[in-house]
């Protein structure tokens, strides 16, 4: 078991290095650096000035060297210009170059400075991650039980009418990406001109113009049912169908096993068979699926936060990418890659733990 | 504007049904012929035994025919602006109608007074040309790499699987933001990626024909020759935009989108193919082929691949739907498409900014995209059920 975990961890570190390098390479492409030079310096810089700005701000040299500096395994760049002022990656403004650290990369906790938010990257990313954490928590609270119940109910009697109708619902939700379900949900529940809100308003059941709020900006400070239900539902809906179908497949397979038939022939009630004998075995596969949903949820989070204007991690990623904020984009990528890899690891290890049939040397 | 001149919903629906006339005729003909001869049509014919599959097929074919007959269905130019009124509701008549012009915005118009109905219909054409093509390329790449990885195993499998997992661990949305930017077109990355991706169909077909017909050189030379001439000709045009005759070319924007979508999809196909091959390579017919002394590629392409077609066809349907969703996501973030392009993702993005006031510009493309993907998913479900029956 220990050897298995160690090997998985090794592959994970290798993957993380490869992925962060790809992101570093793509964000530090020459056109991006030129754009950065023009926004940081001046728009009317000559091509020569741009080249020297790039060189003087530590963006010159090989991409591998800069990646190592960014990671914190190579000494940060130090340059002394014509006026005798020494600047460097690790030297803050007005700091004596002699006292500055040699290494300052992601590993040392120096994630750089965001040009959009005018704040250190680590601080802004952590703060936004907190907001997204709330969103994810509610998504999980809604998505996991609903999809498992749907899957178990349709899988326990394959081909029944209940199974057919639940399967159609599951297929329909997987066909509805977040940007479609978000628009439809807003149309039904949060539009002043269509859906159910005007009717409820006419009847005097709601005091405001709409039943739910169409934006989740107010949920940044104060989460209520009315401002948070739609974004949570938007993300959860897309995942529900997929997990439910996986659970159904797993459940139908378990229900054909010998031990289930034995239990039924023994005279155990159907309900008890499902609850005691089938459920535990049927839930192994969905566990992996749920863990592997995290990277996919990231997609949904970005779309939903953009749609409902909720200023979390996904919104930050869009801002960083849209404004050529290289350090912030790199920070977001590190977090995203870590989330994906850690959930993959948990799903692998959890699968081994849950499934007694897998024995590892 | 005078409220009384608005069309009622009944009139709007009647006019839309009338506009779609070519689609209805094509659908009825397709279904009549297919149901008449369904016993002779293999898996496709069996689809017509399953109600779910039939509904899915009808939805998909509705959009396919809409894309084909789009020019006959649209009522106005999808990118032209009509009048100065912003966001007119469905059924609004045009202010000054010229001769031969359609007199109403059937489903309203957007904030630039462009007809929503025509844009959605034209959008179907865009979506249904890119999504199946991108999925096909992803499949060819996944199959070409997945077959040897599963069949030979060992180091090759370790390396390819690591690369596939690498791409799979990459958050899709981040990849899009990095790959589909205007800046990246100034570098050679899209061209390099395209050069890698587009060579796979040529390799695939060459190996496919060579492994089968190498005992019959005249036939082999003919097939491989045709593949190489047409394949490399198209390859030069599509990947490098250097086609000497100028027949094959691809807009750099579109190339970027296409390459990213193929890149995201192919690792999953690779994993599916690899899994199936590992399962099938222990079968007797594979052992028989090996004993006969057939080459490894012959066994992979002509023995294993045809037997793996069931799950692959099902996944192909699902994947076209997923690709449609990905293309919509790209459009939704305004990545890689021109602003006036009528594709559904960007139309939804345009409409969502005014969503609380005007629903119609966003909801129509949203429902269109949903119905197409739903159709593909139902079709896949029907195919899976029918292919499991034998």
């Amino acid at each position: 078991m220990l050897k298995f975990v160690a090997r998985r961890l090794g592959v994970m570190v290798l993957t993380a290095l490869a992925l962060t390098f790809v992101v570093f390479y793509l964000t530090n492409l020459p056109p991006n650096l030129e754009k950065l030079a023009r926004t940081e310096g001046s728009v009317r810089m000559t091509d020569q000035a741009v080249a020297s700005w790039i060189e003087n701000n530590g963006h010159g040299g090989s991409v591998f060297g800069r990646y190592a500096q960014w990671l914190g395994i190579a000494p940060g760049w130090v340059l002394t210009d014509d006026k005798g002022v020494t600047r460097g990656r690790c030297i803050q403004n007005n700091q004596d170059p002699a006292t500055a650290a040699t290494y300052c990369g992601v590993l040392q906790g120096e994630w750089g400075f965001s040009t959009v938010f005018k704040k250190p990257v680590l601080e802004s990313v952590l703060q936004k991650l907190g907001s997204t954490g709330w969103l994810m928590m509610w998504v999980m609270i809604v998505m996991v039980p609903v999809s498992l119940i749907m899957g178990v109910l349709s899988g326990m009697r394959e081909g029944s009418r209940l199974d057919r109708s639940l399967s159609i619902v599951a297929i329909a939700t997987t066909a509805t990406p977040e940007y479609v379900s978000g628009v439809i949900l807003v149309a039904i529940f949060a539009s002043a001109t269509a859906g159910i809100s005007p009717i409820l308003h006419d009847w005097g059941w709601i005091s405001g113009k709409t039943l739910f709020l169409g934006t989740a900006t107010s949920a940044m400070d104060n989460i209520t049912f009315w401002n948070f239900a739609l974004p949570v539902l938007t993300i959860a809906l897309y995942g529900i169908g997929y997990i439910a179908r996986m659970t159904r497949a797993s459940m139908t397979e378990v229900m054909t096993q010998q031990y289930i038939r034995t239990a039924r022939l023994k005279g155990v009630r159907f309900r008890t068979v499902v609850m005691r004998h089938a459920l535990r075995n049927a839930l192994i596969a969905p566990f992996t699926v749920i863990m592997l949903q995290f990277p996919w949820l990231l997609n949904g989070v970005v779309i939903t936060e953009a749609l409902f204007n909720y200023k979390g991690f996904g919104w930050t990623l869009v801002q960083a990418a849209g404004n050529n904020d290289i350090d912030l984009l790199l920070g977001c990528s590190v977090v995203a890659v870590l989330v994906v890899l850690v959930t993959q690891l948990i799903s692998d290890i959890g699968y081994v733990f849950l499934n007694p049939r897998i024995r590892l040397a | 504007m005078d409220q009384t001149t608005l069309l009622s919903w009944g009139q709007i629906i009647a006019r839309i049904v009338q506009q779609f006339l070519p689609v209805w005729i094509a659908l009825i003909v397709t279904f009549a012929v297919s149901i008449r001869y369904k016993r002779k049509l293999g898996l496709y014919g069996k689809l017509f035994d399953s109600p779910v599959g039939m509904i899915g097929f009808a939805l998909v074919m509705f959009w396919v025919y809409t894309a084909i007959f789009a020019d006959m269905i649209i009522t106005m130019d999808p990118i032209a602006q009509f009048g100065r009124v912003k966001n007119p509701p469905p059924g609004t008549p045009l202010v000054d109608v010229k001769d031969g012009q359609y007199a109403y915005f059937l489903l309203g118009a957007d904030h630039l007074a462009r007809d929503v109905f025509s844009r959605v219909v034209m959008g179907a054409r865009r979506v249904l040309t890119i999504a199946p093509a991108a999925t096909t390329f992803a499949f060819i790449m996944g199959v070409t790499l997945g077959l040897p990885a599963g069949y030979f195993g060992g180091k090759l499998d370790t390396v390819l699987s690591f690369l596939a997992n690498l791409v799979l661990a990459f958050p899709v949305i981040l990849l899009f933001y990095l790959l589909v930017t205007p800046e990246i077109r100034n570098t050679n990355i899209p061209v390099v990626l395209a050069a890698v991706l587009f060579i796979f169909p040529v390799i695939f077909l060459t190996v496919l024909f060579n492994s089968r017909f190498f005992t019959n050189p005249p036939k082999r030379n003919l097939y491989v020759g045709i593949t190489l001439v047409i394949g490399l000709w198209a390859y030069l045009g599509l990947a490098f935009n250097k086609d000497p005759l100028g027949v094959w070319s691809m807009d750099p924007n579109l190339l970027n989108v296409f390459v990213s979508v193929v890149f995201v999809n192919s690792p999953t196909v690779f994993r599916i193919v690899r899994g199936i091959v590992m399962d099938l390579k222990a079968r007797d017919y594979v052992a028989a082929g090996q004993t006969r002394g057939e080459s490894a590629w012959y066994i992979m392409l002509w023995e294993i691949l045809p037997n793996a077609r069931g799950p692959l066809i099902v996944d192909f349907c699902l994947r076209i739907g997923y690709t449609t969703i990905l293309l919509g996501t790209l459009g939704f973030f305004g990545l890689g498409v021109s602003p006036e392009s009528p594709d559904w993702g960007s139309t939804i993005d345009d409409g969502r900014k005014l969503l609380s006031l005007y629903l119609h510009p966003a909801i129509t493309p949203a429902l269109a995209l949903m119905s197409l993907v739903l159709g593909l998913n139902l079709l896949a479900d029907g195919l899976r059920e029918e292919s499991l029956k034998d």
Side-chain angles (χ1 to χ4, degrees), chain A residues 15 19 23 27 31-32 35 171-172 174-175 177 179-180 186-187 193-194 238 245 298-299 302 306-307 318 321 333 340, chain B residues 162 166 169-171 173-174 177-178 183 187 189 325 328-329 332-333 352 355 357 359 363 366 369 373-374 377 381 385:
Chain A
T15 313
L19 286 182
V23 177
T27 47
N32 288 342
K35 206 164 129 194
I171 292 177
T174 49
Y179 50 90
V180 170
V186 168
T193 52
Y238 192 39
R245 284 180 72 72
L298 200 70
N299 236 345
V302 176
L307 193 61
V318 174
S333 325
V340 171
Chain B
F162 178 75
L166 207 63
F170 217 110
I173 202 90
L174 187 63
Y177 261 117
L178 293 174
E183 280 83 34
T187 67
I189 292 175
I325 290 177
T329 312
F332 181 78
F333 285 110
R352 79 181 160 101
L355 198 56
L357 295 170
L359 279 175
I363 201 100
L369 192 141
V373 181
L374 181 66
N377 287 5
D381 207 55
E385 225 161 72

Side-chain angles (χ1 to χ4, degrees), chain A residues 184-202 209-211, chain B residues 359 363:
Chain A
I184 294 175
L185 285 174
V186 168
I188 297 175
F189 296 111
S191 161
T193 52
I196 60 168
S197 299
I199 304 169
L200 293 178
H201 187 68
D202 283 350
K209 275 251 185 288
T210 60
L211 183 59
Chain B
L359 279 175
I363 201 100

Side-chain angles (χ1 to χ4, degrees), chain A residues 8 12 15-16 19-20 111 125-126 129-130 132-133 136 140 290-299 301 313-314 317 330-348, chain B residues 168-171 174:
Chain A
R8 286 287 322 166
M12 189 180 131
T15 313
L19 286 182
T20 47
W111 289 41
V125 167
L126 285 180
L129 262 185
T132 299
M136 292 295 247
M140 284 290 158
I290 292 171
M291 289 320 284
L292 292 177
Q293 277 280 304
F294 270 94
W296 205 358
L297 283 179
L298 200 70
N299 236 345
V301 163
F313 180 73
L317 204 155
L330 278 168
C332 287
S333 325
V334 171
V335 172
V337 166
L338 281 183
V339 168
V340 171
L341 293 179
V342 169
T343 47
Q344 278 185 358
L345 185 72
I346 294 176
S347 109
D348 278 7
Chain B
L168 285 178
F170 217 110
L174 187 63

Side-chain angles (χ1 to χ4, degrees), chain B residues 29-42:
Chain B
V29 170
T30 313
F31 269 76
V33 172
S34 304
I35 292 176
R36 174 81 178 72
Y37 296 107
K38 70 178 173 184
R39 293 286 159 250
K40 293 178 186 162
L41 291 171

